[in-house]
Amino acid sequence: MKKKLVSCLISFTLLSSLSTPLLAKAQENTEGIKGSLVIAGGGVGTSNHDIYEKFLLLAGGKEKAKVGIIPAASTTLQSSEKFKEDLVKYGVNSDSIQILPVSNHDFSDTQKDESTWKNQVNDKKLSRTIKGLTAVWFVGGDQTKIVDSLRQNNGNDSEALKAIWDIYRKGAVIGGTSAGAAIMSDVMITGGDSLGALKESIGNKENKHVNENQHNKKEYEPLSVQKGLGFFQHGIIDQHMDERARLGRLAVAAYNAERDKEKNFAYGVDEDTAMVVNNKDQKVEVVGRSGVAVLDMSKAKLISKQKVRSGLENIKVSYLSPGDKINYHLKSFEFPNDKVETKGFEYYSFNALPATGVFTPYGRLKAYLSYSFVDNKSMKSANSYVYDSKGSGYEIAFQKDNDTNGYWRYTDGQKDDYSIVNVRMDITPKTVKFQPDKKTSLTYKKPTFSSSESPAYDSIKGNLLIAGGALGSSNSSVYNKFITLAGGKQAKIGIVPAASTKFDSSNQFKADLVKYGVKAENIEILPISNHDFKGTSENESNWKANMNSDKLAQKVKGLTGIWFVGGDQTMITGSLRNENGSDSKVLQAIWHTYKDGAVLGGTSAGAAIMSNTMLAGGDSYGALSYGFTDTYDDMTQQEQGPAYLEKGLGFFQYGLVDQHFDNKARLGRLIATAYEKGNKNQLAYGIDEDTAMIVNNAEKQIEVVGRGGITLVDLAKVQANDKFPSDYKNILISCITPGDKVNITTKEIVINPAKTSTRKNEYYSEKVGQNTGLFSPHGVLRKFLAYDLIDNAQSKEIKSYAFNQNKGFELTFRKSPESNGYWAYTDGQKDDYSIVKVALDIKPINVDIK
């Protein structure tokens, strides 16, 4: 297939490093390697077919693959045994998979003392076993344990490591996840975070060497590196890139790798994603569910803005997605033909706020650079921050250069898939100070919107499936649930296209239903719209009269399921309500069908219309700062500014519903709306993308289905300062995930029994910093609360900030007497957390940045 080729400028200017010299290369002679690498960023789900199947293909196919698993990084054999189980599920014969006796320590879940294995790495029997393999896999844990297990005390390669190199040269595939990815490059990153790396590892006066055995008592950790195994000779690799926000530490490590930065990229691999290295073609392919960050440090240079701290400028950041390829020799990128350029064709146009914390829309790096920057014609530059509790830190500034571009397509149904190339990044020392705002200059408007309640029905037999947006076609749990509630494979389903400007989403949903077993002749796209659709000969704006069609109303009454696609929720209500605000005949028919037992479902805009008060616009910062507006400006209003409310269709009668909750960070706008217009005895619900809230009206119960979670906002005990807007205390926040349930009248939360309580059994015990933006780990609210607060014995409270220029809000999340967390593994060995009743205080602040 012909590819688009984007070349990166290469500079051969030698920049001096002020840190530790690059460690000696693990293997100098790497020419003619026939084998491949599968380097996974951690958190690989068992369901991630693309990574497993690629690994097995490179291992010779599931029939011929002979795989050795190296458990050395872990403290237990559980992850090795789980990986073996996964390979068997994918078709490999169990007898063709071995857990190799490679470790320098005992495992806690066995009777044997595996620390004796350290003495076997020079055993000829083990070497012969390895030489008979077609693949080796390194599980996650502590990368230093892998290296120590395979190298002798004098630093030389053991016979086992030599055997691995031998089969790699001859054609075997070497793979690994997390720690098993870190060992792949010559320079192996063993510790540190972005803030610690910047403050103590680029020539700053605080600079000091920290090895993996030193414990840093600060809220940040300096960069530490040592010699890796060097299977990948073309740049430094880091892992858990998106989840742990490691771009800063990768930039510092790559800058300090003096002889590498001129000729090599540096790579940061996201979780549930792999970079597959083809040594023969000198290319890397991105495989999996997220992306790979690529740094070009060839023109980067040190800047000093203060006496103590230095920064870096002119770093080129690219972010590649599954299907993209990197030619690491030419330092160029290739994209599939179905991806279209965004430059000159940007879809968005809004003034994106700085990325400052967990209230930032698109608050993880790839999403922020995609929606808020590269595919946004209004943005030439954007910025984020990272700093410690004293405010000492950095501004991260992004700029569009002449070679900056984006590439977009749909993936997995109608999820946006972006690739980003050549965004300039400068990291400049800054000091950020916060003071309480005693006299706000912001003009906060209370909502003038008032909505008469929809009729309350005690005898609704039907159910609701309310999806938070970006629903993947592969999300079988959501699709199967909708089909089951609609009556199974014989369901009769109508699709309401009104929210969209095209029929693509309606046609896609119909195709998905057919794929999941519903008969095509039982699915109809209903002629409901108040506007014309692009790409058709018919003028669908004439369909507005259909809202009072007796024939269409009668057809609706014969359906067992109705689905509202995403887009603009105001176009749904405008297509089903009369000019005087009364229900049209078709809307009345939908109500009749719902009460009689049909399921009503919808995603994105199709979720927003479900509650009586419909959130139609605004973001968290805008709602908290400016309150509410009576005007609606389509895209701009959907992405930012004060909240905009309209009357919804009221199918969900037990509180407010908001959507795209994780990706667009809408907690602030849901809180403001629930306080001003909600019933404080009811919960408010924020639904994540690719996730659905199942409402069982008969049992008065909600269940979570899908891949994300639902955030529950409880204002029953809230204390607010009516003289000072958006000054709240004691908001209770809960986050529930698939398998969890909540009673919508009693508010009782029932956690999936497979999960174990974290209270007094916390896994972590460490000091953590506040969430400050794109360089802060755990940028999504639920992960931030889980790792840094609920499952952390040292944390009683954690902070984040939302600000723009000199105004903003301090968010303090704290453990309440009722707080608890619940944890389990899901989809392989991914952490799955539920969080119950964390208290949140919101305080207006003034911000001073110098």
Side-chain angles (χ1 to χ4, degrees):
M1 182 185 296
K2 186 179 178 181
K3 306 286 185 180
K4 294 178 182 176
L5 188 67
V6 179
S7 296
C8 296
L9 297 175
I10 305 174
S11 168
F12 294 97
T13 306
L14 185 63
L15 298 175
S16 62
S17 170
L18 299 182
S19 186
T20 309
L22 180 67
L23 297 161
K25 283 190 176 292
Q27 293 279 330
E28 291 292 348
N29 181 16
T30 59
E31 297 298 322
I33 293 176
K34 297 178 181 178
S36 303
L37 300 172
V38 176
I39 306 172
V44 176
T46 302
S47 65
N48 196 325
H49 300 85
D50 291 345
I51 290 179
Y52 279 94
E53 290 174 356
K54 178 67 78 170
F55 178 70
L56 292 176
L57 177 67
L58 294 171
K62 60 187 177 183
E63 305 291 340
K64 298 181 180 180
K66 294 182 179 180
V67 184
I69 302 171
I70 294 183
S74 184
T75 57
T76 70
L77 282 179
Q78 182 182 14
S79 54
S80 298
E81 291 167 348
K82 183 66 174 68
F83 188 71
K84 180 176 180 177
E85 289 175 15
D86 290 343
L87 292 179
V88 171
K89 286 179 184 177
Y90 280 93
V92 182
N93 189 306
S94 179
D95 294 337
S96 298
I97 310 167
Q98 299 182 61
I99 298 176
L100 300 174
V102 177
S103 176
N104 66 350
H105 61 281
D106 189 25
F107 292 99
S108 62
D109 57 347
T110 68
Q111 297 297 317
K112 296 180 181 179
D113 180 5
E114 290 83 5
S115 63
T116 60
W117 286 357
K118 172 70 173 173
N119 300 323
Q120 298 183 39
V121 291
N122 289 311
D123 185 84
K124 292 182 178 179
K125 182 179 178 182
L126 177 59
S127 294
R128 285 196 299 271
T129 298
I130 292 171
K131 288 181 179 180
L133 300 174
T134 64
V136 173
W137 183 267
F138 294 88
V139 301
D142 182 345
Q143 49 264 50
T144 63
K145 292 178 181 177
I146 299 175
V147 174
D148 187 59
S149 298
L150 284 170
R151 284 224 173 92
Q152 302 180 82
N153 293 334
N154 62 5
N156 292 334
D157 292 356
S158 66
E159 293 301 316
L161 182 54
K162 290 177 182 177
I164 294 171
W165 268 100
D166 182 63
I167 63 172
Y168 176 44
R169 291 180 190 279
K170 292 177 179 178
V173 58
I174 311 296
T177 184
S178 188
I183 55 98
M184 294 286 182
S185 51
D186 276 314
V187 177
M188 179 177 74
I189 300 176
T190 59
D193 54 38
S194 287
L195 179 58
L198 289 164
K199 287 178 73 71
E200 301 196 7
S201 304
I202 51 169
N204 298 314
K205 289 187 177 180
E206 302 119 303
N207 188 30
K208 59 182 180 182
H209 177 69
V210 178
N211 66 41
E212 66 274 11
N213 296 315
Q214 289 178 306
H215 180 65
N216 179 35
K217 299 295 184 182
K218 296 181 181 179
E219 63 206 75
Y220 52 85
E221 182 186 0
L223 172 71
S224 57
V225 300
Q226 71 174 59
K227 186 178 178 181
L229 298 185
F231 299 121
F232 183 68
Q233 293 281 307
H234 309 285
I236 298 173
I237 291 169
D238 208 347
Q239 14 78 47
H240 298 283
M241 178 58 49
D242 57 343
E243 178 60 40
R244 301 185 190 177
R246 286 175 166 170
L247 191 71
R249 87 167 188 179
L250 178 60
V252 172
Y255 180 81
N256 287 341
E258 185 174 343
R259 65 181 182 180
D260 261 15
K261 67 185 177 185
E262 295 300 325
K263 63 180 182 179
N264 292 321
F265 284 143
Y267 304 84
V269 190
D270 288 351
E271 293 187 355
D272 218 8
T273 307
M275 51 184 282
V276 178
V277 181
N278 184 317
N279 286 293
K280 182 179 178 181
D281 292 344
Q282 298 185 321
K283 289 182 180 179
V284 170
E285 180 183 4
V286 182
V287 173
R289 291 194 175 128
S290 188
V292 174
V294 182
L295 292 183
D296 184 351
M297 305 296 294
S298 59
K299 291 186 176 180
K301 57 184 179 181
L302 197 69
I303 54 175
S304 182
K305 297 291 185 181
Q306 298 183 5
K307 293 181 179 179
V308 175
R309 287 180 289 128
S310 300
L312 291 170
E313 65 180 2
N314 207 22
I315 301 164
K316 283 295 182 77
V317 179
S318 299
Y319 224 115
L320 274 67
S321 297
D324 299 342
K325 292 185 178 180
I326 306 159
N327 186 313
Y328 54 75
H329 178 66
L330 298 177
K331 295 180 78 174
S332 63
F333 306 127
E334 298 174 11
F335 303 103
N337 278 341
D338 61 347
K339 281 191 174 176
V340 296
E341 295 186 34
T342 63
K343 191 173 185 177
F345 304 96
E346 292 85 356
Y347 180 80
Y348 295 94
S349 181
F350 65 95
N351 293 317
L353 294 175
T356 59
V358 294
F359 272 18
T360 300
Y362 315 112
R364 292 168 83 161
L365 181 69
K366 182 182 174 186
Y368 186 79
L369 291 181
S370 299
Y371 296 98
S372 293
F373 189 59
V374 170
D375 200 17
N376 188 339
K377 69 180 70 174
S378 298
M379 300 294 290
K380 301 298 182 189
S381 62
N383 60 299
S384 183
Y385 299 89
V386 61
Y387 44 83
D388 61 22
S389 57
K390 295 181 180 179
S392 172
Y394 298 85
E395 178 184 75
I396 301 99
F398 301 99
Q399 293 183 21
K400 289 179 180 174
D401 281 348
N402 291 333
D403 56 350
T404 302
N405 207 342
Y407 297 84
W408 169 91
R409 68 176 173 185
Y410 279 132
T411 184
D412 190 14
Q414 291 203 17
K415 293 183 179 181
D416 292 320
D417 178 32
Y418 280 100
S419 304
I420 299 158
V421 296
N422 296 326
V423 171
R424 172 175 169 151
M425 180 175 72
D426 299 330
I427 304 172
T428 308
K430 295 284 183 182
T431 300
V432 183
K433 292 186 178 180
F434 303 111
Q435 297 291 334
D437 189 352
K438 301 293 187 182
K439 186 178 180 181
T440 184
S441 61
L442 299 175
T443 304
Y444 182 94
K445 284 184 60 179
K446 285 187 171 290
T448 59
F449 165 82
S450 62
S451 173
S452 58
E453 292 295 319
S454 294
Y457 297 101
D458 294 328
S459 58
I460 297 176
K461 297 177 183 177
N463 302 290
L464 299 173
L465 188 151
I466 310 175
L471 180 62
S473 296
S474 64
N475 196 328
S476 57
S477 59
V478 172
Y479 278 93
N480 287 330
K481 190 71 172 182
F482 180 72
I483 293 167
T484 299
L485 293 172
K489 303 294 176 68
Q490 303 303 316
K492 294 182 178 180
I493 296 170
I495 301 172
V496 178
S500 186
T501 57
K502 298 185 293 185
F503 281 110
D504 291 0
S505 52
S506 298
N507 290 328
Q508 178 68 58
F509 188 71
K510 180 176 179 177
D512 290 341
L513 292 177
V514 171
K515 183 180 70 173
Y516 283 100
V518 181
K519 293 180 179 178
E521 59 267 27
N522 288 353
I523 309 167
E524 183 175 352
I525 299 174
L526 301 174
I528 298 173
S529 177
N530 65 352
H531 61 279
D532 191 25
F533 285 83
K534 298 175 183 177
T536 68
S537 57
E538 185 175 355
N539 183 358
E540 289 84 6
S541 62
N542 294 327
W543 287 0
K544 186 167 184 178
N546 290 347
M547 71 169 70
N548 287 305
S549 164
D550 291 324
K551 183 179 178 181
L552 182 57
Q554 196 61 35
K555 179 180 288 186
V556 166
K557 288 180 180 180
L559 299 173
T560 61
I562 298 172
W563 183 264
F564 298 87
V565 302
D568 184 337
Q569 48 264 51
T570 64
M571 292 197 290
I572 301 176
T573 55
S575 301
L576 287 170
R577 281 224 171 87
N578 295 310
E579 295 292 338
N580 62 5
S582 63
D583 291 358
S584 67
K585 289 181 180 180
V586 170
L587 182 52
Q588 291 173 29
I590 293 173
W591 268 103
H592 173 88
T593 307
Y594 175 41
K595 287 190 290 178
D596 204 39
V599 59
L600 306 184
T603 183
S604 187
I609 53 100
M610 292 290 181
S611 50
N612 193 57
T613 296
M614 181 175 75
L615 286 83
D619 67 349
S620 287
Y621 181 82
L624 292 171
S625 299
Y626 308 110
F628 299 80
T629 180
D630 297 326
T631 59
Y632 181 64
D633 186 20
D634 194 23
M635 179 192 294
T636 300
Q637 195 64 29
Q638 288 185 39
E639 298 297 332
Q640 65 176 127
Y644 175 72
L645 308 178
E646 279 194 10
K647 181 176 172 60
L649 299 185
F651 301 126
F652 180 66
Q653 304 192 340
Y654 304 97
L656 296 167
V657 171
D658 208 348
Q659 16 77 47
H660 294 283
F661 207 70
D662 51 351
N663 203 30
K664 297 194 179 184
R666 286 174 164 170
L667 178 62
R669 88 167 189 179
L670 183 59
I671 288 170
T673 306
Y675 181 78
E676 298 287 0
K677 301 302 298 183
N679 180 341
K680 294 180 180 58
N681 293 318
Q682 294 178 331
L683 297 172
Y685 303 83
I687 309 171
D688 288 351
E689 295 186 351
D690 215 8
T691 309
M693 181 169 94
I694 311 301
V695 181
N696 185 317
N697 285 295
E699 297 183 8
K700 301 292 189 290
Q701 190 175 74
I702 284 170
E703 180 183 2
V704 188
V705 174
R707 292 183 176 138
I710 297 175
T711 300
L712 310 175
V713 176
D714 189 346
L715 297 182
K717 298 180 180 179
V718 71
Q719 301 170 29
N721 183 351
D722 290 332
K723 296 181 180 179
F724 206 102
S726 301
D727 187 349
Y728 299 110
K729 291 182 180 178
N730 214 35
I731 302 164
L732 291 181
I733 306 294
S734 301
C735 301
I736 56 177
T737 59
D740 299 337
K741 299 176 181 179
V742 60
N743 186 292
I744 49 186
T745 53
T746 67
K747 300 191 287 190
E748 179 186 3
I749 298 171
V750 180
I751 300 297
N752 185 338
K755 295 178 181 177
T756 58
S757 170
T758 63
R759 191 165 189 172
K760 297 184 179 179
N761 189 35
E762 292 86 355
Y763 182 80
Y764 300 98
S765 182
E766 55 192 32
K767 187 175 182 181
V768 296
Q770 58 264 55
N771 188 288
T772 62
L774 302 179
F775 277 16
S776 290
H778 318 306
V780 174
L781 177 69
R782 177 163 52 91
K783 301 290 184 70
F784 176 53
L785 296 181
Y787 291 104
D788 287 358
L789 181 65
I790 283 294
D791 205 15
N792 188 345
Q794 279 198 43
S795 288
K796 291 184 172 59
E797 66 177 37
I798 52 177
K799 294 182 183 293
S800 182
Y801 294 89
F803 58 88
N804 184 28
Q805 296 180 346
N806 64 342
K807 292 289 181 181
F809 300 93
E810 179 184 72
L811 316 174
T812 303
F813 299 91
R814 51 188 172 80
K815 291 175 179 172
S816 74
E818 302 169 288
S819 294
N820 204 347
Y822 299 87
W823 170 90
Y825 278 134
T826 183
D827 190 16
Q829 294 197 34
K830 293 183 180 182
D831 291 321
D832 178 28
Y833 281 99
S834 301
I835 298 155
V836 174
K837 296 184 179 179
V838 166
L840 167 62
D841 302 332
I842 300 176
K843 179 71 68 177
I845 54 170
N846 291 315
V847 184
D848 183 26
I849 302 173
K850 294 182 179 178

